[in-house]
Structure formats: structure tokens, C-alpha cells
Amino acid sequence: MSIFGSEDWPLRPSKLKSLVSCPMSVYLDGIMIGDDEGGPGAQTGSVVHAGVEAFHRTMGDPITRREEATAAARAALPTFPAANENNAFRWLSAYTNDTQNITANVTHIEEKVCLIIPAEPDIVIRGTLDQVRQDSQGRYTVWDLKTGTSLSADEVVDEYQFQQAAYVLAARQTLGLNILPGGIIYAAGYDKPRGRRFLPMGVDLDDCEAMMEVVKSRVLDIRAGKREFTPSNSACFWCEHKRYPKCRRLI
């Protein structure tokens, strides 16, 4: 039988905030839903990410890079039929015309990484980080491109802190580089002339380690058989299961 959070049943960075808010929601996801391609928002993001990856992998002038990005996004559309094509190409165009992205030194793009947290058995977190950028002083930082529109800029930073922490530590383990927290590239910020687009996470490595200790505690509780439900607006808003207390009946 697979053990929650182990190599056979690894955690995803995108689920860590939910794990902390309501451990049982993530456990139920694993036994009832598994992985899927997500709804329109997630699929729109996947199309944008396909274009952004091509943009940063292409050498040459910005026009050539934009053409490759657009072609890659169009090629991805059949795989993500629920994507909002207008939003995807509007955000991709804005991203590829932003000087900060054109000149960015993106050293890693769509990189698979793994974080091992010592336990018995070890806790395994696997995911694909969006970008590692190196600045003019040689510092490496992790950046995640987010295309959702339901959260404000400040809410996005709060929502994805656990995900960012996991990616930073996983990147350090996997890539062997002194990688630091970076932030969020907020696609919705491109919809306003003075919108905020690059949002620092405001955490350091100690904060990242502390957050993963909380994750470890939640995983060990689940493994020990503690069926904890912690209903709240934060925990229940995005949950795909029946609302509390009906979700208790699922186990």
C-alpha cells in the first residue's frame, strides 16, 4: 500500500497550502481525484506556460522569440481544450514584450525538481518549477508565472508562499545551486498600464525551511491516522470535495 507523501505517493508543491489549511483535503484528492488537467483557468495557464518556455529557449532577436512562443502556444491548444484562448494570447503577448522578460537570464525553465524531507519513510515533494533567473550580481532566484485572475496581487503572494518555499528548497537539492526565493510573475498585472507584475515573496531561506517543517508535521499526522478537518474560508474555498461536514462521510 502506498504511503502518503512518500516516493510512491509524492506531494505536489501546488497542494501544500491546502495541506496546511486542511490536511484531509489533500489526502482525499489523492485517493479520489488524482492528477488531472484542471479547469479553464489551469488550462489557460498551461498554454501560456508553453509559449513562455519556447520564448526563453529560443535564441535570437525578440521578434523571432515571440514567433516561436506564439507557435508553441498554438500547438498546445488542442491539449488544453478548456483554455481561454483570448486570455492566453493576450498575456503571452504582454509577457514577451516586457523588457524585463526579454533581457532576463533564465537559466532553468519548466525544470523538474524534487525535495526530500527526512522522515520514515522520507517525505517526497515533486514538481516542475517555472523559472530560475540569474541577476546581474549572479544570484539565482525562483519565479512562478501565475495566470489566475480571482486573487489580488497581495493575495497571490500569500496563496503561493508554501509552493514557492518548496520549489526553492527542491531546486537547491536537485540543481545544487545557491537558489533563493524570488517571487510571482503576475499575469493579471499586464491588464493594467501600471499593474504590479513582479511580486517578491518576502521570505528567506529560514522561512522556507520553517514552512516545510509545518508540511512535515501535517504529513506525519495523516500517516498516523489523524483524520483532521479544519474548515475555514481559506481551506474550503477551492476544495473539490463536498463542503464540511459532508466531506467527513468520504472516509
Side-chain angles (χ1 to χ4, degrees), residues 21 30 32 42 46 65 84 92 158 174 234 238:
S21 299
M32 300 183 67
S46 294
R65 295 170 68 193
N84 184 314
L92 179 60
D158 177 69
T174 304
S234 173
W238 299 108

Side-chain angles (χ1 to χ4, degrees), residues 21 64 84 93 95 108 133 153 161 184 227 232 234 236 243:
S21 299
T64 300
N84 184 314
S93 176
Y95 181 99
H108 300 79
R133 296 187 174 202
Q161 280 198 343
I184 300 295
R227 299 298 185 246
S232 67
S234 173
C236 297
R243 290 300 178 91

Side-chain angles (χ1 to χ4, degrees), residues 30-191:
I31 62 176
M32 300 183 67
I33 297 176
D35 293 330
D36 59 37
E37 293 175 349
Q43 294 199 31
T44 300
S46 294
V47 172
V48 177
H49 278 77
V52 167
E53 179 179 7
F55 180 74
H56 288 300
R57 290 194 186 279
T58 300
M59 305 297 291
D61 61 88
I63 293 176
T64 300
R65 295 170 68 193
R66 289 186 199 110
E67 290 173 346
E68 290 297 319
T70 300
R74 291 206 178 281
L77 281 173
T79 305
F80 304 103
N84 184 314
E85 186 173 343
N86 289 334
N87 282 350
F89 284 95
R90 185 178 76 254
W91 288 330
L92 179 60
S93 176
Y95 181 99
T96 59
N97 279 282
D98 187 333
T99 301
Q100 286 184 262
N101 298 321
I102 294 171
T103 61
N105 180 17
V106 177
T107 60
H108 300 79
I109 183 88
E110 298 296 324
E111 186 80 34
K112 292 186 182 301
V113 293
C114 178
L115 174 63
I116 306 295
I117 300 175
E120 188 57 49
D122 289 340
I123 296 168
V124 179
I125 303 174
R126 292 190 178 278
T128 303
L129 62 79
D130 289 356
Q131 303 177 13
V132 175
R133 296 187 174 202
Q134 187 178 32
D135 65 19
S136 58
Q137 274 127 20
R139 292 174 300 191
Y140 294 97
T141 52
V142 169
W143 290 86
D144 289 321
L145 172 63
K146 299 301 180 188
T147 58
T149 58
S150 61
L151 300 176
S152 69
D154 291 333
E155 289 170 334
V156 164
V157 171
D158 177 69
E159 182 68 22
Y160 293 106
Q161 280 198 343
F162 276 88
Q163 179 175 315
Q164 171 93 173
Y167 275 134
V168 169
L169 298 179
R172 292 171 70 88
Q173 274 192 15
T174 304
L175 305 177
L177 298 173
N178 183 25
I179 297 174
L180 302 171
I184 300 295
I185 304 172
Y186 182 50
Y190 286 110
D191 292 336

